[in-house]
Amino acid sequence: MTRALNRSLPFWILVVASIGLVAAGLLTVLDHLATMTATLKDGSATGLEVYGGQSWIVLGSALIGAGALGVLLALALAVVSTLLGAATARPVDIAPLAFEDVDDIDDETGSEAADPAGALDAPAAPHEIEKQQRQNPAEVDDASADEAQKGSSGSTATATKISVK
C-alpha cells in the first residue's frame, strides 16, 4: 500500500466496516443455526425457532456477503493504488497575462505612464463629474448626461434626474 492509502480515512472505514459486517453476519448465522439444529434434534422445536431461524440465517448470510464484497473492494483498491503509485502534481508554466505587459507607473518619474492606445480609458466617476460641473457648468452638462447615459437602460431624463412632464 502507498503512504497516501495508509492515511486515507475512507479506506480504513471501508476495511473496518467490512470486517465488522462479516463478523456480525457470522455471529448471527452461527447462533441461529445452532439453536435451530439443537431444537430440531431434541424434538422441542417451535415454528418461531424453525421459520424465524431461517430468516435470521438469510439475513446473516447477506451481511457476510456485503462484508466480503467490501473486503475484496478494499484489497482491489490497495492493489490498484500500489500499481499506480502516488499521484504527483507537476508544476505548470503559466504565460504572462496581457495586462501585465503594460506599465502603469513610470519607474523614473514615479507618475502614471502615458496610455497611447487608450486601453485604460474608463467612464468618469460621479465625484469627477461633479468637480467638472462646478468648474464649467454649461460645458459639462451635455457631456455628463452622455456619460451618465452610457450603459443605462433608462432615458436621459432618468439618468440626469430631470423631471419630464
Side-chain angles (χ1 to χ4, degrees):
M1 283 190 274
T2 63
R3 292 175 44 130
L5 191 60
N6 285 340
R7 291 179 283 171
S8 174
L9 186 61
F11 174 77
W12 289 111
I13 289 173
L14 175 66
V15 170
V16 170
S18 298
I19 292 172
L21 281 173
V22 168
L26 279 174
L27 182 66
T28 303
V29 167
L30 294 177
D31 180 43
H32 285 90
L33 187 60
T35 302
M36 191 169 65
T37 304
T39 55
L40 283 173
K41 280 187 177 182
D42 67 5
S44 65
T46 63
L48 179 64
E49 292 168 340
V50 174
Y51 298 114
Q54 292 174 3
S55 298
W56 279 105
I57 290 171
V58 169
L59 177 67
S61 299
L63 291 176
I64 292 171
L69 184 64
V71 169
L72 290 175
L73 184 64
L75 288 174
L77 185 62
V79 168
V80 168
S81 67
T82 302
L83 292 176
L84 295 179
T88 57
R90 296 181 182 141
V92 178
D93 292 333
I94 299 174
L97 299 175
F99 67 85
E100 290 178 351
D101 296 338
V102 178
D103 290 333
D104 289 342
I105 298 177
D106 190 10
D107 292 334
E108 295 174 9
T109 63
S111 63
E112 290 188 12
D115 185 19
L120 299 177
D121 286 343
H127 67 277
E128 292 175 0
I129 294 172
E130 290 177 12
K131 187 190 296 183
Q132 289 176 356
Q133 285 177 347
R134 279 188 243 126
Q135 292 172 356
N136 301 330
E139 196 175 290
V140 177
D141 283 339
D142 294 333
S144 65
D146 289 340
E147 287 181 15
Q149 182 63 25
K150 289 181 183 174
S152 172
S153 62
S155 66
T156 306
T158 304
T160 58
K161 298 181 184 175
I162 298 174
S163 65
V164 179
K165 295 182 182 180

